[in-house]
Amino acid sequence: MFAHVDINNCYVSCETLFNPTLKGRVVVVLSNNDGCVIARSNEAKAAGIKMGDAEFMVRKQLKELDAVIFSSNYALYADMSARMMNNLARYTYMLMVYSIDEAFLALNNLTVDLEKHVATISENVMQDTGLSITVGVGPTMALAKLANKASKKMKRDYLVLDTPDKIDAVIKDFPIEDVWGVGRQYYEKLKELGVVTAEDFRQLKADLVRQYMTVQGWRLHQELWGIPCNVIKDVADRSKGIESSQSFNTYQTELEQLEEAAAMHAATVAIKLRQQKSMAMMLTIYLRTNKHNEKHDQHYPSLTVKVPFATNSTQQLTKICVQALRAIYQPGYNYLKTGVRATGIITAGEVQYNLFSNYDAGKQDALSNLMDDINARYGRGALRVAAEGYDKTWKMKQEFLSKQYTTNWKDIIVAR
């Protein structure tokens, strides 16, 4: 059995947690650079605000609704996510973090009353973190995810699908487009086959599913029948790439500013690699102009570089990234975004070094660990490579940024 846990309206929940007066109001969180809506309170959903709505298109509507608007505060969201994951880890022998607000828990072989155990998880995690969560349980990961969505529709904190009768009762009317793994492309194909519900999909012949949806669709089909089908590996594979990117607050044309932004993203990627004890063998750097601005010439260059030695060193990845950026940069374009993506990710312990190389992995590790220790004590960016710059005039627009209540001493709430 698996449990799927997620934070309800994650980003909005984090903001509301530190400002209870927001409960019951229309609240939205905007994406990087305050571009579009990426999280909504239930009241915002009911008012018709959609995910992905551009801020300038719904600005008037939000004002009429007296909505509260926030810029993305990822430092706050990541810290609250970590607190939830640490809590969840107490209730399982295997926790798989799927995203910042979602995780799977393996519940096989636990000598507990499953219904009571799940109720305990739900109650204790909400009490310990202050976050509202929903728990879905099923014999496979796909059914656990389905149970979670069904639970939300029923306005329950949790739902346990541990018998064929319970599963049948839920999936008979469950919309196929809400099933995990059924994207727009698969949805259109399934509509042609007359598939409307998860039960319709389950009744398709496995050979037909494989013909239309390849092996991934076949695995999903098996999972809906309660047959675990190595979806764990699929999920793990999806995390084999780490990326950091953001849009600028204004168009950038100078190489120096672009280098600073790219260096910052490389440093972020390096930190994420170290946190999951892995290293990257490939690094991709890219630049983007604004495709929506027809008055500007467009340029979307990218370059993938093989890292000489798999590494998670901030210094090494930053150096490679800046060199790659200089190779793709062309003056005369108005760049709006840059990003860095690490791929070819392997476990740190599997790295094989060249006996005849001068690369000092121990020294690089020591430097990176020292940076992590100092930044953990004094705040992110207290110690960083010079290439990241200082003023960061290119930094994204964050007009509605809330405080970093849990990660910055200056922003801690004062009790009176």
Side-chain angles (χ1 to χ4, degrees):
M1 300 296 287
F2 295 92
H4 173 258
V5 182
D6 72 349
I7 305 172
N8 300 325
N9 305 329
C10 177
Y11 297 170
V12 170
S13 294
C14 292
E15 300 288 356
T16 306
L17 178 62
F18 294 94
N19 188 352
T21 62
L22 300 178
K23 290 181 179 178
R25 295 189 61 181
V26 175
V27 181
V28 299
V29 176
L30 303 177
S31 62
N32 282 342
N33 217 29
D34 294 346
C36 61
V37 175
I38 59 170
R40 306 158 295 163
S41 64
N42 289 335
E43 292 74 16
K45 294 177 185 177
I49 305 297
K50 295 183 174 58
M51 286 288 285
D53 277 346
E55 186 274 337
F56 71 90
M57 294 179 66
V58 294
R59 189 177 300 160
K60 182 180 178 184
Q61 185 180 1
L62 291 173
K63 188 174 182 179
E64 291 172 350
L65 292 167
D66 192 24
V68 181
I69 304 171
F70 288 101
S71 303
S72 301
N73 186 345
Y74 291 113
L76 174 65
Y77 310 150
D79 186 65
M80 294 310 301
S81 170
R83 294 182 186 207
M84 183 189 75
M85 301 304 174
N86 287 335
N87 265 273
L88 291 176
R90 296 184 296 166
Y91 301 99
T92 180
Y93 56 89
M94 184 175 72
L95 175 73
M96 180 173 294
V97 178
Y98 182 56
S99 65
I100 192 170
D101 64 334
E102 294 180 77
F104 288 93
L105 287 69
L107 301 179
N108 291 331
N109 305 321
L110 295 182
T111 55
V112 296
D113 182 308
L114 192 58
E115 194 87 20
K116 289 183 178 178
H117 188 60
V118 173
T120 300
I121 294 173
S122 173
E123 182 179 347
N124 287 357
V125 172
M126 284 197 279
Q127 181 176 336
D128 292 345
T129 66
L131 297 169
S132 171
I133 66 170
T134 301
V135 187
V137 176
T140 65
M141 295 175 76
L143 283 171
K145 185 106 174 174
L146 187 148
N148 187 307
K149 283 197 173 184
S151 181
K152 282 184 169 63
K153 292 179 181 179
M154 298 175 189
K155 301 188 184 305
R156 296 177 49 168
D157 293 332
Y158 63 89
L159 179 64
V160 178
L161 301 181
D162 54 352
T163 68
D165 289 344
K166 290 181 182 177
I167 295 171
D168 293 346
V170 170
I171 73 169
K172 68 177 183 179
D173 298 320
F174 196 87
I176 186 62
E177 63 267 32
D178 289 344
V179 174
W180 186 35
V182 177
R184 169 60 59 182
Q185 193 174 1
Y186 283 155
Y187 175 58
E188 295 298 332
K189 289 182 179 178
L190 291 171
K191 270 203 312 185
E192 294 175 4
L193 296 172
V195 173
V196 177
T197 67
E199 178 60 22
D200 293 338
F201 177 66
R202 213 168 59 154
Q203 293 305 323
L204 293 177
K205 291 183 178 179
D207 291 345
L208 185 65
V209 172
R210 190 154 189 161
Q211 177 186 344
Y212 276 84
M213 300 174 64
T214 70
V215 68
Q216 291 184 349
W218 176 79
R219 285 175 178 166
L220 175 61
H221 187 257
Q222 297 292 294
E223 289 243 330
L224 291 184
W225 278 110
I227 304 169
C229 208
N230 208 20
V231 173
I232 289 178
K233 184 176 182 305
D234 285 350
V235 172
D237 286 346
R238 289 172 202 170
S239 67
K240 297 248 174 181
I242 294 176
E243 180 166 338
S244 175
S245 66
Q246 69 178 211
S247 299
F248 302 119
N249 57 355
T250 59
Y251 293 116
Q252 299 295 325
T253 58
E254 302 300 321
L255 178 61
E256 183 178 354
Q257 278 71 42
L258 293 170
E259 285 182 354
E260 289 182 3
M264 185 204 70
H265 292 310
T268 301
V269 166
I271 291 171
K272 290 180 178 178
L273 286 167
R274 292 197 293 273
Q275 287 174 340
Q276 67 177 41
K277 302 187 187 308
S278 59
M279 294 184 171
M281 299 174 67
M282 308 288 288
L283 201 65
T284 300
I285 172 73
Y286 60 85
L287 288 167
R288 299 285 185 267
T289 49
N290 184 359
K291 64 180 180 181
H292 301 294
N293 192 331
E294 297 178 351
K295 297 179 181 177
H296 291 174
D297 293 332
Q298 300 298 313
H299 194 219
Y300 314 112
S302 69
L303 180 63
T304 299
V305 181
K306 187 176 187 306
V307 180
F309 304 101
T311 183
N312 56 20
S313 161
T314 296
Q315 294 76 23
Q316 288 300 306
L317 291 178
T318 300
K319 182 179 178 181
I320 293 167
C321 180
V322 170
Q323 289 174 342
L325 180 79
R326 291 172 180 169
I328 63 174
Y329 166 78
Q330 288 189 23
Y333 290 101
N334 296 307
Y335 293 108
L336 188 62
K337 183 177 183 179
T338 188
V340 176
R341 185 185 308 120
T343 52
I345 295 172
I346 61 174
T347 304
E350 297 176 356
V351 178
Q352 186 170 7
Y353 295 106
N354 188 330
L355 182 64
F356 303 102
S357 168
N358 293 325
Y359 181 70
D360 191 339
K363 182 179 178 181
Q364 294 297 329
D365 290 345
L367 278 171
S368 295
N369 292 335
L370 177 63
M371 291 180 70
D372 291 342
D373 291 343
I374 291 176
N375 289 330
R377 182 169 183 176
Y378 296 105
R380 178 77 180 273
L383 183 63
R384 57 184 182 270
V385 295
E388 292 185 52
Y390 183 77
D391 292 334
K392 297 186 178 179
T393 55
W394 42 267
K395 198 174 180 180
M396 61 184 174
K397 185 167 64 175
Q398 291 180 310
E399 293 183 357
F400 313 103
L401 188 65
S402 58
K403 294 182 178 179
Q404 298 174 356
Y405 299 104
T406 60
T407 57
N408 191 328
W409 285 110
K410 294 184 296 185
D411 291 342
I412 290 180
I413 293 177
V414 177
R416 299 180 185 277

